[in-house]
Amino acid sequence: MIRSLPNSRAYTLGFKLYVILYFTFLFAPLLVTCVLAFNDSPFPSLPWKGFTLDWFMADNPDRLGIFHDEINLSSIWVSAKVAFFVTILSTAVGTCGAFLFEQEDFRFKQALYFLMISPLVIPGVILGISVLLFSNTLGIFFEHRWNLDVGLFRPGFWLVVLGQFSFIATLVTLVVSARLKKFDHTLEEAAMNLGANRAEVIWHITLKFLRPAIIGSGAVAFLMSFENFNTTLFLVGSEATLPINLYLQVRDGSTPVINAISFLLIVCTSMAAMVNLFLAKKEEV
Amino acid sequence: MKYQIRWALIFFLTPVLLWLFLLIVLPHIDLLLMSFRVEDDYGEMTWSFSNYMNFFNEPIYWLTFVRTAVYSILVTFLTFVTALPVAFYITKVASPRFQGFLAMLLLLPFWVSELVRVYGWMILLRESGVINHFLLRLGILDRPVEMLYNDVTMVMGLVYTSMLFMSVPLISALESLDNSLIEAAYDLGADMWSILFRIIIPHSMPGIVSGSIVVFMLTLGNYLTPNLMGGKNSLWFTEQIYNQFIASFNWNQGAAFGFLLLVLSSLVIWTGLKLTRQKLTGVIK
């Protein structure tokens, strides 16, 4: 059964085989995507026709590599901008949330906490359409009442940011709260005894202690926002984010340029994951 | 002192309240209200149940709804059955030297965008895909077979997509299981199945429940995988919502569909929690 018990050969072998199969299942699609990004063929499929970097570098009309592909490059830039603002907003509000639920007491705290975790169990599509509907309602209201045309209320960049922020902030709140739980309150008391006020204590001591959790959850927030599809789908305006743009291309047929973008995404995210895991390990020691 | 604490409360509470009310509570109330509004013969908006009546009167709508629910439950179950042996292998069978490495390997693919993973499966499985290429080469097939665009492939894709959210809680649940319990049961003559059903599964129940909730919610709200891997006949309910919003531009009908999906997801999660006697706040942790 387990390491410390005698196991039959068939059991050990069968189990090993299953795990190998499982990992093949896990990695096969990613591996194939990466390999075919370098195939010298106009379609992302076998047979192998030789190695090429055309899908990254080429700059002519029938073979446009990703580094010269204006549409894809601009969608990467849009995604990066969205992710940047989502990260800033959600780490700021999420940290406030962590302090609120860990250090403050007020009426209806339980109810508010329940509300705070609810975005985790609301499907992303529903969050998207409800934010879309509400902003539309607000837009109509502002126009009728004050004859104001507010761009924010129409699908577009800022609505995407707000829609993604609405559930990513929950994640930051939970991660930062978990760290804040481990905070040693005697440090705070000591600082207060030495004459610091609450704001100074939070700024100089508590936030310093929370920094790894804030940075870590900020990195995850960035990645989640960069890759979000479901919520973004309904809120996106004329500036498509990378997942939306890729989706439209994949749906209408594919070229190895998509493989090239995927390859870059896989390499970047794996590296980010490694760094994150490494930092988490260092934190534990 | 008292005065200062109140200021801190206001400072932390304001952004959290703005977030939760403007982006979660009010949009969902708006979603509910909009779902009861229809345009009458004179182009005026009135209150009506007709959006919901449409849902029950058109078999295509409620059949898609039932299909989505049933398939989501199936996917959740399949994900659990595939992930449990791997989680067990990593925590209890593999030699401790490889544990960290295997766990990291397990997480790695899920840092990559869902779109890239689905795209990988598409170039593996389609008619001109990699698997067909090898099967033809080996002489197993005479002509390529379209393996995409059917329900089996779609379910596999959904299982693949949500695997992470099952394996992580399972691994952490199994890590806390004391090996000596299994050893004792083994010494007393229990076979593999009774150890599985009477020790391992009851112990990992919290992990199973939280994994299942997340997997179910993500599958129900998934749009990409059913849309890209499922066939023309395998409509997912999120696609119906999308069609109402983007294609038919009937937002009120879409709001009704969205609200129904939200009710279904909350209902199943609530039932799951009640059956296993757990609390949402406990499960999230």
Side-chain angles (χ1 to χ4, degrees), chain B residues 73-108:
Chain B
I73 292 169
L74 176 73
V75 166
T76 310
F77 177 73
L78 286 177
T79 314
F80 166 65
V81 172
T82 351
L84 184 67
V86 178
F88 188 75
Y89 186 86
I90 289 177
T91 48
K92 302 289 172 198
V93 184
S95 101
R97 276 191 303 153
F98 296 121
Q99 262 177 17
F101 175 70
L102 284 177
M104 196 191 73
L105 213 58
L106 195 74
L107 301 190
L108 214 51

Side-chain angles (χ1 to χ4, degrees), chain B:
Chain B
M1 193 68 208
K2 185 95 185 159
Y3 184 70
Q4 278 179 340
I5 287 176
R6 289 289 108 178
W7 274 115
L9 178 65
I10 291 169
F11 181 79
F12 293 134
L13 191 60
T14 318
V16 174
L17 279 182
L18 280 177
W19 158 36
L20 292 174
F21 277 88
L22 287 181
L23 290 170
I24 307 292
V25 176
L26 292 177
H28 284 89
I29 293 175
D30 197 34
L31 179 78
L32 181 63
L33 292 180
M34 290 292 266
S35 71
F36 288 109
R37 304 285 280 175
V38 282
E39 204 171 314
D40 65 13
D41 299 337
Y42 309 104
E44 297 285 315
M45 298 306 279
T46 50
W47 298 100
S48 156
F49 280 103
S50 69
N51 292 322
Y52 290 94
M53 297 308 285
N54 283 344
F55 171 81
F56 289 106
N57 291 334
E58 288 283 343
I60 176 100
Y61 294 152
W62 61 261
L63 278 176
T64 316
F65 189 75
V66 172
R67 229 181 76 92
T68 307
V70 171
Y71 270 126
S72 297
I73 292 169
L74 176 73
V75 166
T76 310
F77 177 73
L78 286 177
T79 314
F80 166 65
V81 172
T82 351
L84 184 67
V86 178
F88 188 75
Y89 186 86
I90 289 177
T91 48
K92 302 289 172 198
V93 184
S95 101
R97 276 191 303 153
F98 296 121
Q99 262 177 17
F101 175 70
L102 284 177
M104 196 191 73
L105 213 58
L106 195 74
L107 301 190
L108 214 51
F110 299 98
W111 287 79
V112 180
S113 157
E114 184 189 353
L115 193 80
V116 173
R117 284 178 272 144
V118 172
Y119 178 66
W121 278 113
M122 287 174 76
I123 54 180
L124 270 174
L125 293 174
R126 67 175 163 211
E127 211 175 344
S128 58
V130 173
I131 290 181
N132 266 314
H133 177 81
F134 282 118
L135 289 179
L136 287 173
R137 269 287 180 78
L138 293 171
I140 298 173
L141 291 178
D142 303 327
R143 68 170 72 118
V145 180
E146 181 62 88
M147 291 184 240
L148 270 182
Y149 313 125
N150 60 58
D151 284 5
V152 178
T153 311
M154 184 186 74
V155 167
M156 185 223 60
L158 287 167
V159 168
Y160 181 84
T161 300
S162 31
M163 194 57 93
L164 168 84
F165 302 95
M166 189 61 95
S167 23
V168 169
L170 280 182
I171 287 178
S172 60
L174 284 174
E175 260 170 358
S176 67
L177 173 61
D178 192 348
N179 284 351
S180 51
L181 285 175
I182 297 177
E183 284 159 7
Y186 182 82
D187 289 341
L188 293 169
D191 64 1
M192 207 171 92
W193 297 111
S194 50
I195 290 180
L196 177 67
F197 285 111
R198 301 179 69 170
I199 296 176
I200 297 171
I201 290 185
H203 177 85
S204 29
M205 216 38 168
I208 297 174
V209 173
S210 57
S212 301
I213 286 180
V214 178
V215 169
F216 177 79
M217 195 274 289
L218 287 177
T219 308
L220 199 67
N222 200 319
Y223 178 84
L224 270 180
T225 310
N227 190 256
L228 292 174
M229 293 175 86
K232 286 276 168 283
N233 298 322
S234 40
L235 259 184
W236 208 247
F237 200 64
T238 47
E239 293 177 270
Q240 296 280 20
I241 295 177
Y242 181 84
N243 289 344
Q244 292 302 332
F245 266 88
I246 310 292
S248 320
F249 218 70
N250 189 348
W251 285 16
N252 300 95
Q253 186 66 62
F257 286 178
F259 194 74
L260 285 166
L261 191 70
L262 186 63
V263 169
L264 172 68
S265 129
S266 316
L267 207 68
V268 172
I269 291 169
W270 183 79
T271 318
L273 290 173
K274 277 281 166 266
L275 282 179
T276 53
R277 294 201 190 84
Q278 298 201 46
K279 280 219 171 89
L280 186 63
T281 43
V283 164
I284 297 288
K285 277 168 196 148

Side-chain angles (χ1 to χ4, degrees), chain A residues 176-196:
Chain A
V176 178
S177 294
R179 172 97 183 156
L180 196 53
K181 273 202 182 73
K182 295 186 198 140
F183 183 66
D184 183 358
H185 284 286
T186 52
L187 286 175
E188 262 181 352
E189 283 159 24
M192 287 208 173
N193 282 341
L194 294 170

Side-chain angles (χ1 to χ4, degrees), chain A residues 28 31 46 49 52 90 128 161 170-171 178-179 181 198 240 255 275:
Chain A
L31 221 61
L46 288 175
K49 291 187 175 161
T52 179
S90 54
V161 171
T170 298
L171 176 113
R179 172 97 183 156
K181 273 202 182 73
R198 180 97 196 268
T255 71
V275 170

